[in-house]
């Protein structure tokens, strides 16, 4: 591992000296997200392995190249999980890619996002120095929380070497319920449930024959799940089918997700139906997957008008992504902070330049 | 030139500077919002930790966001440092004024702008008290989860600055997990919105780095918080143990059993002995340590969880177990835990309060090491802390009238904090760095890591005018080495519960 690390450092130092960028990647499962990298590949997949895991600390630390499959199976052996249920999008998905993209899965609205679970990061900076931010403890306010800002940074600030994440016990029981319901009614129903102490840990709405189908997942102690079920009615989805359902949503293997372009529209959860195109709803209404051929400008302005934003999650083509940009344009003041952060951390622009925004 | 002449010249320079800034401020805010006479600015000389005092050059209390913008613009133009503050209950000198600067008091921003039970959100101004949010949400059976013990007085703007926690944060998270959006003014006087009322925002997660940045990156003018449904029931178990190590193992046992308690707190024998006469909570004074372990949720969940927790404690060797039988009893069990600070103030004229976090598995080891240090330094140390997340608050009792006692207490405190870092922890879990722990930052971080912190600061506040000389030490500063010290009467708001 030491020689791998030396090699990575040497590559970064060379990139810094020559001003030639590197394109950081692990399993390559999320290469589709954002603009194409322009630099030479910096392969993190060999820099792998669990560094420490103490189930009673609720913390696991692993090298960036560790696959999510390995990590999750270790946690499962100990009755624990990554509570933000990160999407893999392929068997090679790594912890580094998971944190760098900051994507979260079905449990996000109930448990929190990827960044909520990041406790610490070891970072290789633009000078090839290894820096540690945060750590393995739950509460830590010494200095700025750099590890959380690295979550979802798409590698633009440095190379993540190791990540410490908070883990949680797996629920004792889970149960999925379904309801035949139109989109607007489903959003209303989810909002009403959200204001009550119910153990809802995932939700989805998809169009179906005769209108649509709302599904929710209950998790917790057997008694809590049972009492939730008694209050909420609906039809019980058989366990195997339920697991497959949440898995297919998380991994986007449902036929719906084959549509291109596919937009991810993030809005306040109670927002009424968007009427932009075919829609799948998650996160109590906060995450809307939209298949539409409407112009990017129309999708973005609709999202912004509702207090949200839109990402061209899976573009029709690289040209389309290049033409309209993948991520929602930033407000000028926030853009200024982004530009300065990038130039402070990566003055030569060697880390994944242009992957998030052309100017970063 | 001789020294008295220097001083006279300095005083003249300061007076001119003050007059210049006051005159400029009066162009952007009404006259009653600007204060500069000593008797007017004296109340702002410190935050909750009054060891660190400084009279601000000018105090300004804006009433609108556009006034905040104008104030920051003119301070930038005149190159005047700005320290923002809310209720001033912070414990690390984070809101200590700058002698040549403007103290920007946000107390007048005290409105709850919107509380929406349908979206489970509240939009509040930074001066709104933490508890006031939960009070306003109570009719809808909602509340704001982070509950720092000073919640009756501390403001949400300060909570954002410190990333405040509380006994509920093991289960419900810190401020960073419960704030959706912050509207802030940059040192340029521009408005930036970080986060959003959706579940995320485009670009880097600036909200995550802003929360806990101790007033160094911008001035908060509005906060959108997440409200959560009130659990139907809460019950707490009080369990006694013969050894601190057994109690620490019981904490690990709870987590290993797959339970995340709503609160999990420990008090050692010294702490119960100090607190019990003060609050009469019924603590077991014979126990080496007691644990308070709370469950909340539906009645079915609480019943099941309390049974499982009780089982873990019994198997871990608890010598006495009591479950709160009523809400009044639950609050009584918590009363001593929450009043440890004022109680310690009665038991000893002086104490150092440390605030370090360690991995849970190190709790037993560190507490035993502290006991060994008590013998070595010939001093008493009481431990009351967030066992569930390893956040220690050792209180070292000493006598400030005895220079040798002071020296020993300082060395004792330093050794504890260094031990926290050594076992994989941190020098502050929740009180912040402020000015108080700035030297300890040099112990925890390398030069390169401190450089990265400066880089973050520079990206938000290139001129370095916001809350200067706090939180992130310069390398020159790291040549020094500081200590924290709480003296009787120097802690303001002694009546407030702490931790």
């Amino acid at each position: 591992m030491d020689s791998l690390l030396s090699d990575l450092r040497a590559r970064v130092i060379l990139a810094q000296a020559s001003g030639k960028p590197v394109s950081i990647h692990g399993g390559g499962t999320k290469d589709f997200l954002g603009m194409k990298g322009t630099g030479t590949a910096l392969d993190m997949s060999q820099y792998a392995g669990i560094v420490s895991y103490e189930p009673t600390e609720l913390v696991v630390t692993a090298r960036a190249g560790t696959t999510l499959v390995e990590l999750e199976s270790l946690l499962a052996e100990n009755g624990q999980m990554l509570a933000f249920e990160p999407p893999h999008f392929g068997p090679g998905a790594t912890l580094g890619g998971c944190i760098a993209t900051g994507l979260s899965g079905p449990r996000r609205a109930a448990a929190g996002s990827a960044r909520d679970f990041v406790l610490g990061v070891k970072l290789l900076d633009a000078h090839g120095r290894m820096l540690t931010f945060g750590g393995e403890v739950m509460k830590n306010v010494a200095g700025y929380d750099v590890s959380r800002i690295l979550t979802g940074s798409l590698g633009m600030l440095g190379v993540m070497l190791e990540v410490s994440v908070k883990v949680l016990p797996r629920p004792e029981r889970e149960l999925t319920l379904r309801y035949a319901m139109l989109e607007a009614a489903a959003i209303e129903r989810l909002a009403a449930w959200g204001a009550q102490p119910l153990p809802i840990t995932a939700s989805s709405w998809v169009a179906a024959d005769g209108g649509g189908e709302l599904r929710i997942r209950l998790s917790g102690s057997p008694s809590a799940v049972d009492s939730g079920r008694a209050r909420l009615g609906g039809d019980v989805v058989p366990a195997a089918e339920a697991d497959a359902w949440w898995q297919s949503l998380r991994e986007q293997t449902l036929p719906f997700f084959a549509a291109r372009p596919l937009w991810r529209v993030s809005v306040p959860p109670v927002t009424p139906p968007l009427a932009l195109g075919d829609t799948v709803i998650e996160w109590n209404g906060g995450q809307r997957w939209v298949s539409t051929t409407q112009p990017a400008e129309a999708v973005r302005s609709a999202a912004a008008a509702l207090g949200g934003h839109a990402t061209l999650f899976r573009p029709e083509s690289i040209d389309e992504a290049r033409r309209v940009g993948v991520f929602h344009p930033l407000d000028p003041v926030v853009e200024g902070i982004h530009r300065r952060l990038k130039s402070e951390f990566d003055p030569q622009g060697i880390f994944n330049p242009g992957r998030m925004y052309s100017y970063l | 030139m001789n020294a008295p002449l220097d001083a006279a010249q300095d005083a003249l320079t300061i007076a001119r500077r003050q007059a210049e800034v006051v005159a400029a401020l009066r162009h952007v805010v009404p006259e009653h919002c600007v204060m500069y006479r000593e008797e007017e600015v004296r109340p702002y000389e410190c935050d909750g930790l009054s060891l660190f005092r400084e009279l601000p050059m000018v105090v300004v209390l804006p009433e609108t966001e556009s006034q905040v913008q104008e104030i920051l613009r003119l301070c930038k133009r005149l190159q005047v440092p700005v320290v923002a503050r809310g209720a001033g209950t912070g414990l690390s000198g984070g809101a200590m004024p700058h002698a040549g600067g403007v103290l920007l008091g946000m107390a007048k921003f005290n409105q709850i702008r919107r509380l929406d039970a349908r979206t489970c959100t509240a939009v509040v101004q930074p001066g709104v008290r933490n508890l006031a949010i939960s009070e306003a949400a109570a009719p809808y059976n909602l509340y704001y989860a982070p509950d720092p013990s000073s919640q009756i007085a501390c403001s949400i703007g300060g909570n954002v600055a410190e990333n405040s926690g509380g006994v509920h944060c093991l289960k419900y998270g810190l401020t960073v997990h419960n704030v959706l959006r912050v509207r802030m003014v940059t040192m340029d006087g521009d408005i930036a919105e970080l986060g959003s009322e959706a579940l995320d925002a485009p670009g880097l997660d600036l909200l995550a780095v802003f929360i806990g940045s101790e007033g160094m990156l911008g001035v908060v003018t509005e906060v959108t918080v997440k409200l959560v449904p009130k659990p139907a029931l809460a019950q707490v178990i009080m369990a006694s143990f013969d050894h601190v190590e057994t109690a620490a193992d019981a904490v690990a046992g709870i987590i290993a059993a797959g339970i995340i308690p709503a609160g999990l707190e420990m008090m050692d024998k010294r702490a119960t002995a100090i607190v019990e006469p003060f609050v009469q909570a019924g603590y077991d004074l014979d126990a080496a340590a007691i644990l308070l372990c709370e469950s909340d949720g539906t009645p079915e969940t609480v019943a099941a969880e309390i049974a499982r927790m009780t089982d873990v404690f019994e198997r871990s060797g608890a010598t006495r177990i009591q479950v709160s039988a009523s809400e009044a009893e639950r609050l009584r069990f918590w009363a001593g835990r929450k009043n440890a600070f004022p109680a310690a103030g009665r038991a000893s004229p002086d104490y150092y309060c440390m605030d370090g976090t360690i991995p849970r598995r190190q709790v037993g080891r560190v507490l035993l090491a502290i006991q060994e240090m008590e013998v070595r330094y010939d001093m008493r140390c009481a431990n009351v802390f967030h066992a569930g997340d390893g956040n220690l608050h050792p209180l070292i009792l000493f006598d400030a009238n005895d220079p040798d006692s002071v020296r020993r207490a300082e060395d004792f405190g330093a050794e504890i904090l260094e031990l926290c870092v050594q076992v994989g922890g941190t020098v502050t879990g929740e009180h912040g760095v402020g000015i108080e722990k700035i030297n300890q930052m040099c112990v925890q971080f390398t030069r390169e890591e401190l450089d990265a912190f400066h880089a973050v600061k520079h990206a938000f506040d290139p001129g370095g005018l916001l809350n200067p000389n706090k939180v992130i030490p310069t390398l020159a500063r790291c040549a020094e080495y500081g200590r924290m010290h709480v003296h009787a009467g120097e802690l303001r708001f002694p009546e407030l519960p702490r931790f």
Side-chain angles (χ1 to χ4, degrees), chain A residues 132-202:
Chain A
T132 303
F133 300 103
E136 296 192 313
V137 290
M138 300 290 149
K139 282 164 90 180
N140 182 357
V141 292
Y144 304 120
D145 200 341
V146 175
S147 38
R148 285 202 170 94
I149 209 175
L150 292 170
T151 312
S153 67
L154 290 170
M156 63 176 261
L157 299 176
V159 182
M160 273 187 274
L161 292 171
E162 280 178 23
V163 187
S164 299
V165 286
K166 180 180 174 180
V167 299
L168 284 179
R170 292 163 78 93
E172 285 181 84
R173 184 182 292 180
E174 300 212 302
L175 180 74
T176 295
L177 301 170
R178 73 173 138 216
Y179 311 79
M181 203 174 283
L182 292 171
E183 185 180 1
I187 293 167
E188 282 298 315
R189 185 70 66 89
L190 287 167
W193 286 336
Q196 298 169 38
L198 291 164
I200 298 173
T201 60

Side-chain angles (χ1 to χ4, degrees), chain A residues 35-56:
Chain A
M35 301 303 297
K36 283 279 169 247
T38 52
T40 50
L42 188 74
D43 180 8
M44 298 299 294
S45 61
Q46 300 306 306
Y47 196 71
I50 310 287
V51 177
S52 67
Y53 175 43
E54 193 70 42
T56 63

Side-chain angles (χ1 to χ4, degrees), chain A residues 54-59 78 80 108-110 113 115-117 125 129-146 148-154 156-157 166-170 172 187-188 191-199 221 223-224 227 231 264 266-270 283 286-287 307-309 327-331 333-334 336-338 340-342 344-345 356-357 360, chain B residues 117-120 140-142 162-163 165-166 169-170 174 176-177 179 184 186 190-194 196-209 212-214 216-217 229-232 252 255-256 258-260 298 300-301 304 308 357-362 386 389 391 424-433 441 444-446 448-449 451-453 455-460 462 471-472:
Chain A
E54 193 70 42
T56 63
E57 296 289 332
L58 300 175
V59 178
N78 290 276
Q80 297 185 333
R108 189 263 174 265
S113 66
R115 74 98 143 141
D116 290 331
F117 288 89
D125 79 355
R129 304 176 303 193
M130 195 153 79
L131 313 180
T132 303
F133 300 103
E136 296 192 313
V137 290
M138 300 290 149
K139 282 164 90 180
N140 182 357
V141 292
Y144 304 120
D145 200 341
V146 175
R148 285 202 170 94
I149 209 175
L150 292 170
T151 312
S153 67
L154 290 170
M156 63 176 261
L157 299 176
K166 180 180 174 180
V167 299
L168 284 179
R170 292 163 78 93
E172 285 181 84
I187 293 167
E188 282 298 315
W193 286 336
Q196 298 169 38
L198 291 164
S221 67
S223 57
S227 70
R231 282 182 62 188
R264 175 183 181 271
S266 177
V267 284
V270 297
W283 300 0
Q287 177 164 261
H309 68 278
F327 297 99
H328 204 99
L330 298 174
D331 152 272
V333 177
V334 173
I337 298 170
H338 276 68
R340 290 194 295 274
L341 268 171
K342 175 69 174 175
E344 288 281 343
F345 274 84
M356 185 186 282
Y357 292 103
L360 294 180
Chain B
R118 193 162 161 271
T119 57
C120 295
Y140 309 99
N141 265 325
L142 299 169
E162 302 296 331
N163 192 15
C169 67
L170 179 63
L174 304 156
V176 71
H177 304 112
V179 165
M184 63 97 163
T186 68
D190 294 328
I191 304 284
E193 296 223 351
L194 312 180
S196 82
E197 291 185 19
L199 292 178
D200 42 37
L204 293 168
D205 197 339
L206 299 184
L207 180 63
V209 80
S213 63
E214 303 194 35
M216 305 272 288
L217 305 183
K230 259 194 201 167
I255 306 294
I259 305 168
I260 304 295
T298 61
E300 303 89 356
T301 301
R308 292 174 64 209
T357 302
I358 56 173
R360 259 185 301 260
R361 66 179 177 281
Q362 303 285 4
H386 309 293
D389 39 41
N391 188 192
T426 172
V427 296
T428 174
E430 61 181 4
H431 292 175
V433 174
M441 290 290 283
Q444 188 169 339
F445 295 100
T446 64
E448 291 79 16
E449 288 154 4
D451 277 351
F453 290 144
V456 172
K457 167 71 170 168
H458 201 246
F460 280 82
V471 185
I472 313 300

Side-chain angles (χ1 to χ4, degrees), chain B residues 5 22-23 40 42 47 50 66 100 106 116 181 216 247 314 445 451:
Chain B
L5 265 180
V22 167
E40 293 173 326
R42 178 67 69 187
D47 62 12
S50 50
S66 59
M106 296 300 287
D116 188 343
R181 167 186 154 276
M216 305 272 288
E314 279 170 354
F445 295 100
D451 277 351

